[in-house]
Amino acid sequence: MGAIFDDELKRLRGRFMEMGIDASEQIYQATKAFNEKDVQLARQVLENDHQLNDEEIQLEKQALKLMALQQPVATDFRKIISILKASSDVERLGDYAAHIARAGIRLSADEADEQVEKQIEKMMMIVRQMLEKVMDAYVYTDEQKAYEVANEDLQVDLIYVQQQDAIMDALVKSREDVKSYGTYLSVIRYLERAGDHIVNLAEWIIYSGSGKLVELNPGKADPAMVKRKLKEEN
C-alpha cells in the first residue's frame, strides 16, 4: 500500500497502544484502591471507566474509515482486523478494573485478609507485566513473544486456583465472613479473566502476522494442567 495507508496504520497502532497503557494503569489503580481500601481512588477509577470505551469507539471508526478509503490488500486487512478485535479485549480489561474498584468500595478495612490481598497484588503485577509485553509484541508483530506471554498466563491461573481453594476452606471455617470472602472470590476471578483476555491479544498477534487462528490459552487447551501443576509443586 502507499505512504498514506502506512501513516494511517501507524496512527491506528498508536491509538491502540494508548488503550493498552490506559488499561494497565486502570488495573493497577483499581487493585491499589482495593487493597488499600481507598474509596476515593476506587471512585476515580470508576469515573475514568468511560475512557477506554470512548477510545475503542474512536479506534473502530478510524479502522473502518481506513478500510473503506484505502481498500487494503489481504495482509494489511489482517493487521487492521487484528487491531479491531484486540481493542475489544483491551476494553474488557477496563471493565474488570471497574469491577475491582466497585469491590473495593464494598469491602471495609476490618474485613481484610492480608494473605489473600498479597496474592491479589501478585496476580495484578503478573497481569500488568503480561499486558506490557503483549503490547510491545504488537508493535513488532513479534510472534515468539506472543507465545511467551500466553505461557505466562499459567502463573495467573495457578494463583487463582490456589486462592480459590484457600478462600473456600476459610468460608467453611467462618460463615461470618461470607461477604468479604465472596468479594475476594470475585476479584481473583476478574484478574484471572484479565489474563485470559491478554492471551487473546497474543492470539491476534499471531493472526496479524501469519493469518493463523490459534488457541494459546494453556488452561483452555488442557483444563487439567493447573491441577497437575499444583500437585507437582506440593
Side-chain angles (χ1 to χ4, degrees):
M1 300 296 291
I4 294 176
F5 176 85
D6 291 339
D7 288 342
E8 290 298 318
L9 182 59
K10 185 177 180 179
R11 286 183 57 213
L12 189 66
R13 280 177 166 165
R15 188 182 289 274
F16 178 67
M17 291 298 296
E18 289 174 7
M19 281 190 70
I21 292 169
D22 291 341
S24 178
E25 183 64 16
Q26 285 282 86
I27 291 171
Y28 169 71
Q29 295 293 347
T31 307
K32 185 174 187 288
F34 180 84
N35 280 350
E36 296 181 4
K37 310 300 174 291
D38 189 335
V39 175
Q40 184 176 352
L41 180 57
R43 295 191 189 284
Q44 183 179 328
V45 171
L46 292 174
E47 288 175 5
N48 294 333
D49 182 39
H50 67 86
Q51 182 176 344
L52 282 170
N53 296 332
D54 294 342
E55 289 179 12
E56 183 189 17
I57 291 170
Q58 293 304 315
L59 184 146
E60 184 178 286
K61 289 180 178 178
Q62 186 177 341
L64 294 175
K65 182 179 179 181
L66 180 57
M67 287 190 289
L69 297 180
Q70 296 297 322
Q71 298 181 347
V73 296
T75 301
D76 293 320
F77 183 79
R78 280 206 314 269
K79 293 176 182 178
I80 299 172
I81 290 297
S82 67
I83 293 175
L84 265 176
K85 293 288 188 179
S87 68
S88 178
D89 284 300
V90 174
E91 190 275 331
R92 287 295 293 150
L93 297 178
D95 291 342
Y96 293 130
H99 292 328
I100 293 170
R102 290 190 185 94
I105 293 172
R106 293 196 303 268
L107 191 69
S108 61
D110 59 355
E111 296 174 306
D113 185 309
E114 184 178 348
Q115 293 303 313
V116 176
E117 291 184 1
K118 282 182 179 179
Q119 294 304 309
I120 286 174
E121 184 174 6
K122 185 176 179 180
M123 287 181 78
M124 180 272 294
M125 291 177 64
I126 297 171
V127 165
R128 287 194 78 200
Q129 289 170 2
M130 287 172 62
L131 182 55
E132 289 169 6
K133 288 179 182 179
V134 85
M135 296 306 292
D136 184 58
Y138 242 105
V139 174
Y140 303 103
T141 317
D142 188 335
E143 296 184 33
Q144 179 59 40
K145 183 172 286 188
Y147 280 105
E148 292 172 3
V149 170
N151 288 332
E152 289 176 13
D153 185 51
L154 183 58
Q155 299 176 52
V156 178
D157 291 342
L158 286 170
I159 297 174
Y160 170 68
V161 172
Q162 287 173 327
Q163 292 308 301
Q164 187 181 49
D165 290 346
I167 291 169
M168 294 306 295
D169 288 343
L171 274 171
V172 171
K173 296 175 183 176
S174 178
R175 290 292 180 181
E176 296 178 359
D177 298 321
V178 169
K179 177 185 173 183
S180 59
Y181 284 120
T183 301
Y184 284 130
L185 284 172
S186 296
V187 171
I188 63 173
R189 178 59 176 166
Y190 297 143
L191 289 169
E192 189 272 336
R193 290 295 295 132
D196 289 343
H197 280 278
I198 294 171
V199 174
N200 289 349
L201 296 179
E203 292 171 358
W204 288 119
I205 292 173
I206 304 299
Y207 174 74
S208 177
S210 66
K212 297 178 182 177
L213 291 171
V214 295
E215 175 58 72
L216 298 185
N217 193 314
K220 287 183 181 178
D222 184 359
M225 180 184 293
V226 175
K227 292 292 185 181
R228 285 203 308 273
K229 288 287 184 181
L230 288 174
K231 287 182 180 179
E232 290 171 6
E233 291 181 3
N234 296 330

